[in-house]
Amino acid sequence: QVQLVESGGGLVQTGGSLRLSCVASGRTFSSYYAMGWFRQAPGKEREFVAAINWSDGGTSHANSVKDRFTISRDNARNTVYLQMNSLKPEDTAVYYCAARNGWLVTARTSFDYWGQGTQVTVSS
């Protein structure tokens, strides 16, 4: 089994920055796997934010966060990060880390493992 543990959420003002971290542990992934970030605001569906291929570092970001958020990884630490800049109130949500065997995709249902989530609140 794979365990994912997120950290780094909190309360920040509009225009501020936060960096989320997600550490993966447990069963070893296959050679090709991907990790991603999703978010869920109250009353809304969980939506894709960003994902990264562990092997080659290829990334994908949702249009709503492009040029503001950046996903990255540290292979040695089995950690994926989400750097969030120029935060807006509409970014307020619980952010979830996810992982899957295979190349990165954006579909929530294609990810097999999930963290417990970390709250990000952006005040206006």
Side-chain angles (χ1 to χ4, degrees):
Q1 190 62 283
V2 173
Q3 291 82 42
L4 303 174
V5 179
E6 305 101 330
S7 62
L11 174 64
V12 64
Q13 291 185 334
T14 296
S17 297
L18 284 174
R19 189 178 78 158
L20 305 183
S21 300
C22 173
V23 180
S25 62
R27 184 177 66 85
T28 303
F29 286 104
S30 62
S31 300
Y32 298 97
Y33 69 96
M35 294 185 71
W37 289 97
F38 290 75
R39 67 186 181 185
Q40 188 167 19
K44 295 187 177 181
E45 291 190 354
R46 194 171 298 187
E47 64 175 3
F48 171 77
V49 175
I52 187 167
N53 284 325
W54 207 256
S55 58
D56 65 6
T59 64
S60 177
H61 295 79
N63 288 334
S64 59
V65 305
K66 275 181 182 177
D67 301 324
R68 299 190 299 123
F69 292 9
T70 303
I71 190 171
S72 62
R73 85 234 192 267
D74 184 330
N75 293 45
R77 291 184 167 85
N78 280 341
T79 300
V80 64
Y81 303 100
L82 185 68
Q83 178 66 45
M84 305 187 295
N85 300 327
S86 302
L87 282 160
K88 305 175 182 180
E90 51 264 44
D91 294 319
T92 295
V94 178
Y95 283 72
Y96 296 90
C97 176
R100 72 182 298 271
N101 287 302
W103 295 108
L104 76 85
V105 296
T106 62
R108 179 189 73 235
T109 54
S110 295
F111 282 80
D112 305 304
Y113 308 100
W114 293 86
Q116 81 287 353
T118 185
Q119 177 70 46
V120 171
T121 303
V122 184
S123 64
S124 57

